[in-house]
Amino acid sequence: MSEEMKKKKKTFNVKLFYRRTCLIIYDIISVILASYIALLMRYSFEMSEIPEHFLGPINRFLPLNIVITLVVLYLFRMYNSLWAFAGETELQNLVLASVISSLLQAVGIQFFKTPGELAVPSSYYFLYTFLLISFIFCSRFSYRFFRSLKHRKQNKNNSISVMVIGAGEAANVIVKEIVNSNFSTMVIRCIIDDDPGKWGRFIQGIKVVGGRDKIIECADIYSIDEIIVAMPSISRAELSAILDICKETSCKLRSLPGMYQLVNGEVSVSKLRDVEVEDLLGRDPIEVDMDSILGYVKGKRVLVTGGGGSIGSELCRQIASHQPALLIILDIYENSVYDVQQELAARYPDLEMAVLIASVRNTNRMNWIFEHYKPEIIYHAAAHKHVPLMETSPNEAIKNNVFGTWKTAQAAAMNGAQRFVMISTDKAVNPTNIMGASKRICEMIIQTFNKHYDTEFVAVRFGNVLGSNGSVIPLFKKQIMSGGPVTVTHPDIIRYFMTIPEAVSLVLQAGAYCKGGEIFVLDMGKPVKILDLAKNLIRLSGYRVGEDIKIEFTGLRPGEKLYEELLMAEEGLTDTENKLIHIGKPIEIDEMQFFVQLKELKEASKNESNDIRPLVKAIVPTYHYSDEEGK
């Protein structure tokens, strides 16, 4: 040990000894004062009224009473606790130690009475206990009180002014932590809550100033920099309504993730997260029947293609939690799938897992995997999905999406798989790009295979996924972090949006509902304008649209259309047990002609055709493209 460390240790011990000595001296004085003041209170502070035969036993027992009290306090850690952070446990120990000390005094005094002396009045012992608790409480908790005052004074000079929305238990925990923190850079100016019964009241000294109609006004009056939404049990629709008001203030917004934080006792400042755009969608997440999912995944061998992607990796996470006999994760990109492997190995140490690097375009490799591992349930998420990139490389979209699906589905059917769930997209409906058209062909392949094999083949169709690879949200965030501008292709472009967990929930539920041949469609509510998403994200980041961060329009990209559809008109819809999941009616196709067309398409893509789009349109009549794209 270095001399410097020894010096620090010595200094620390001296300070600790000094503090304990001061507390012991204080406690000795407290016992003495409590002993005599209790008797004075019993006789209305008239010294002359106190009988000598009461004072005698108390005087004679006092030295021993002091020793006993100090020992009891020591046993209850009254000299070892960090009183700067004292809470309920320390208070309980303090009260219990004082009560035990008082009981021992009541017993001990009986042995110090002389013959003829009367018993000390019972009211004396109650008064003594009360005084002892009060004196000791003041010594231990006064430090925390003055420390809190010091922090509040310091917080007045902190740079971040905060408004808290919600005056419930979660808000109380957040406010308390910020007010008492040594390291907080925030000062809470006001609290908002819609309950009129709480208006004008205080939480940790902070006033509840009114309901949500006061948000904009108070943000201006108190010069608020940041708004914290501390309402974990609120619905997504209600949260969206509140955030619609908050985003007009140009304040940065943060919130608690959800109700489970309260259940698990995890509410704290560290759990706060930035408000995300999905909070503004105004729609509660889709709910699935977890029992039915568990019933068909548990104990099964499950294969996920594209397992390193945003959808595929989330599928792997949720499947891993449902106790499969074997989880097979397949992807062509080693880095992403490696990350998923490490994550699942840490979270589920007992999980049987096979991680494979393979291309769904490789017939021999896919056949070997199915013959060797015999997966019973397949989730086919491997695909090229980026619209503009596929427009410039249409043959790659056909090779990977169409014939990668064909080869995977055929391997599944030939090896006795029970279910095959393909991930599709809303861009397959009346497609204007090669990616969407390729996915429509995949749906046709799935529905055709379902008629000829025992394997149940289904497709799941949904819109854009927030936060996924290629999503506009990560792009917008990067652009905002770099100071802008945020680029939007067209002011009127709209999209349906869902979160990654919602997308995966739909896929899992489809696997539970499927009977074969269905195209499952999620009711995702109203479409969202991309321009509104960009504006909201700028505001949620604490910037002003057009002033701090500008928005620029770049024009529609190749193959991009202003709006997406989830269902072709001729498909129709039928409901499932889940009101947010519907089934599109299969469309009849000429299978012989379809297979001939697929053979021609395969040869054209293999030969790197410069004019593959007409062949695609022949298969998908609803596919529309410009002449420039076909050249």
Side-chain angles (χ1 to χ4, degrees):
M1 185 180 293
S2 65
E3 290 298 324
E4 185 179 353
M5 291 181 66
K6 288 181 179 179
K7 186 176 180 181
K8 287 183 178 179
K9 185 176 180 181
K10 182 178 179 181
T11 303
F12 174 78
N13 287 337
V14 169
K15 288 182 178 180
L16 184 61
F17 176 78
Y18 172 76
R19 290 174 182 173
R20 288 179 176 174
T21 301
C22 289
L23 283 176
I24 290 172
I25 293 173
Y26 178 90
D27 291 340
I28 291 173
I29 296 173
S30 297
V31 173
I32 296 172
L33 290 176
S35 299
Y36 294 114
I37 293 177
L39 206 54
L40 281 171
M41 291 175 67
R42 170 63 179 80
Y43 288 96
S44 305
F45 292 94
E46 295 289 340
M47 285 289 296
S48 58
E49 297 294 327
I50 301 176
E52 182 63 30
H53 55 263
F54 289 161
L55 276 172
I58 293 174
N59 288 332
R60 289 190 290 272
F61 183 69
L62 184 58
L64 185 57
N65 188 25
I66 291 173
V67 174
I68 291 173
T69 301
L70 295 179
V71 171
V72 172
L73 293 177
Y74 174 79
L75 293 175
F76 279 87
R77 300 178 181 176
M78 292 295 104
Y79 302 111
N80 297 320
S81 299
L82 291 173
W83 294 102
F85 306 101
E88 292 183 9
T89 300
E90 286 75 18
L91 180 60
Q92 291 172 0
N93 288 341
L94 187 154
V95 172
L96 192 57
S98 300
V99 170
I100 291 175
S101 174
S102 300
L103 291 174
L104 292 175
Q105 185 208 39
V107 174
I109 284 179
Q110 306 305 317
F111 294 98
F112 283 82
K113 289 193 306 178
T114 60
E117 287 183 333
L118 300 176
V120 176
S122 58
S123 58
Y124 164 82
Y125 298 110
F126 289 104
L127 293 171
Y128 173 82
T129 303
F130 169 76
L131 289 170
L132 187 61
I133 291 173
S134 301
F135 288 146
I136 297 176
F137 176 87
C138 288
S139 66
R140 268 60 175 186
F141 283 82
S142 60
Y143 179 74
R144 176 172 176 170
F145 173 75
F146 288 115
R147 177 175 171 271
S148 176
L149 290 180
K150 179 182 177 182
H151 291 166
R152 293 193 183 192
K153 184 177 180 181
Q154 290 174 342
N155 283 347
K156 291 181 180 179
N157 300 320
N158 287 344
S159 59
I160 302 176
S161 295
V162 176
M163 171 193 294
V164 174
I165 298 180
E169 181 60 31
N172 178 59
V173 174
I174 294 295
V175 172
K176 183 178 181 180
E177 183 172 347
I178 292 174
V179 168
N180 294 325
S181 174
N182 261 333
F183 308 101
S184 173
T185 58
M186 298 182 286
V187 53
I188 301 177
R189 303 293 185 185
C190 62
I191 299 174
I192 297 290
D193 196 280
D194 285 336
D195 183 359
K198 296 178 180 178
W199 296 351
R201 298 190 177 186
F202 293 82
I203 296 179
Q204 303 292 324
I206 311 298
K207 188 176 182 180
V208 181
V209 295
R212 69 180 68 179
D213 58 312
K214 294 285 186 180
I215 291 175
I216 297 177
E217 176 186 343
C218 290
D220 180 52
I221 292 174
Y222 294 99
S223 300
I224 299 300
D225 301 306
E226 186 170 310
I227 297 176
I228 296 175
V229 182
M231 304 172 72
S233 61
I234 195 172
S235 69
R236 183 66 63 84
E238 193 72 9
L239 176 62
S240 176
I242 292 175
L243 294 180
D244 278 337
I245 301 173
C246 294
K247 69 185 182 183
E248 301 301 324
T249 64
S250 298
C251 298
K252 183 177 180 180
L253 304 181
R254 301 173 76 188
S255 71
L256 287 171
M259 185 62 190
Y260 72 90
Q261 297 286 345
L262 271 180
V263 175
N264 294 340
E266 297 177 359
V267 175
S268 70
V269 173
S270 64
K271 298 296 180 182
L272 291 174
R273 62 167 175 81
D274 290 344
V275 171
E276 302 289 350
V277 173
E278 50 261 42
D279 295 322
L280 290 167
L281 293 182
R283 173 172 52 80
D284 288 327
I286 185 173
E287 296 181 359
V288 300
D289 181 1
M290 300 307 293
D291 291 335
S292 64
I293 293 174
L294 180 61
Y296 83 85
V297 169
K298 184 177 181 180
K300 300 291 180 64
R301 297 182 300 278
V302 184
L303 167 65
V304 179
T305 69
S310 51
I311 296 296
S313 61
E314 181 64 21
L315 275 167
C316 292
R317 292 183 189 96
Q318 295 199 26
I319 292 169
S321 68
H322 292 147
Q323 302 174 351
L326 174 66
L327 175 59
I328 309 159
I329 308 174
L330 184 149
D331 205 297
I332 189 62
Y333 303 109
E334 60 181 277
N335 292 337
S336 58
V337 79
Y338 174 77
D339 292 337
V340 176
Q341 179 187 32
Q342 296 304 305
E343 177 188 341
L344 295 183
R347 292 176 61 183
Y348 306 101
D350 298 328
L351 175 67
E352 290 292 329
M353 181 169 44
V355 179
L356 308 175
I357 303 301
S359 170
V360 293
R361 294 157 60 166
N362 188 325
T363 304
N364 293 335
R365 175 66 167 153
M366 295 306 297
N367 287 340
W368 182 89
I369 289 171
F370 275 84
E371 290 171 3
H372 183 77
Y373 290 100
K374 297 291 183 182
E376 299 166 273
I377 301 173
I378 297 91
Y379 293 98
H380 182 52
H384 288 326
K385 307 179 184 72
H386 202 281
V387 170
L389 292 181
M390 292 304 99
E391 288 302 291
T392 57
S393 304
N395 290 303
E396 294 305 306
I398 298 302
K399 293 175 191 174
N400 196 71
N401 294 359
V402 174
F403 295 104
T405 297
W406 175 286
K407 293 174 182 180
T408 307
Q410 191 170 52
M414 298 304 294
N415 287 277
Q418 295 176 5
R419 294 176 182 176
F420 186 103
V421 182
M422 188 203 81
I423 310 301
S424 189
T425 171
D426 57 356
K427 294 176 177 61
V429 182
N430 298 323
T432 58
N433 53 71
I434 198 71
M435 193 283 285
S438 70
K439 280 297 197 176
R440 177 56 192 148
I441 298 175
C442 292
E443 292 178 352
M444 296 166 71
I445 291 172
I446 291 304
Q447 291 185 317
T448 302
F449 270 49
N450 187 71
K451 297 178 181 179
H452 299 282
Y453 295 101
D454 293 333
T455 302
E456 296 171 341
F457 288 92
V458 298
V460 183
R461 187 188 291 166
F462 47 77
N464 296 271
V465 180
L466 288 169
S468 66
N469 297 329
S471 170
V472 296
I473 303 305
L475 173 62
F476 286 168
K477 288 183 176 180
K478 290 179 181 178
Q479 291 174 335
I480 291 171
M481 288 179 63
S482 62
V486 171
T487 56
V488 178
T489 57
H490 193 283
D492 297 324
I493 192 168
I494 62 173
R495 291 290 182 267
Y496 292 93
F497 280 98
M498 64 191 309
T499 65
I500 292 176
E502 282 180 319
V504 171
S505 296
L506 174 61
V507 175
L508 291 172
Q509 189 75 77
Y513 285 159
C514 80
K515 296 178 181 178
E518 302 98 335
I519 295 178
F520 289 90
V521 183
L522 171 65
D523 180 0
M524 294 188 297
K526 296 180 181 179
V528 179
K529 291 184 70 172
I530 300 298
L531 178 58
D532 290 340
L533 280 180
K535 289 179 178 179
N536 288 335
L537 196 57
I538 292 171
R539 289 166 178 156
L540 293 177
S541 301
Y543 299 106
R544 292 167 293 182
V545 178
E547 297 182 36
D548 302 321
I549 302 290
K550 294 183 179 180
I551 295 177
E552 290 185 358
F553 298 104
T554 58
L556 291 175
R557 298 172 297 180
E560 192 172 44
K561 56 184 179 180
L562 286 177
Y563 62 94
E564 304 290 0
E565 304 156 272
L566 290 178
L567 202 67
M568 287 182 282
E570 62 268 32
E571 285 179 304
L573 284 178
T574 57
D575 295 331
T576 66
E577 295 176 17
N578 189 319
K579 65 180 181 180
L580 295 179
I581 302 176
H582 308 282
I583 301 174
K585 181 181 178 182
I587 300 174
E588 294 297 326
I589 62 174
D590 185 332
E591 291 185 12
M592 293 299 295
Q593 181 184 3
F594 179 50
F595 289 136
V596 171
Q597 291 172 324
L598 282 179
K599 184 177 180 180
E600 293 176 356
L601 186 66
K602 183 177 181 181
E603 289 300 317
S605 63
K606 183 179 179 180
N607 295 326
E608 301 298 337
S609 170
N610 293 324
D611 196 24
I612 202 170
R613 287 181 173 83
L615 292 176
V616 174
K617 183 170 177 58
I619 301 174
V620 185
T622 55
Y623 171 43
H624 301 284
Y625 63 94
S626 66
D627 292 338
E628 288 75 12
E629 292 170 342
K631 293 179 180 178

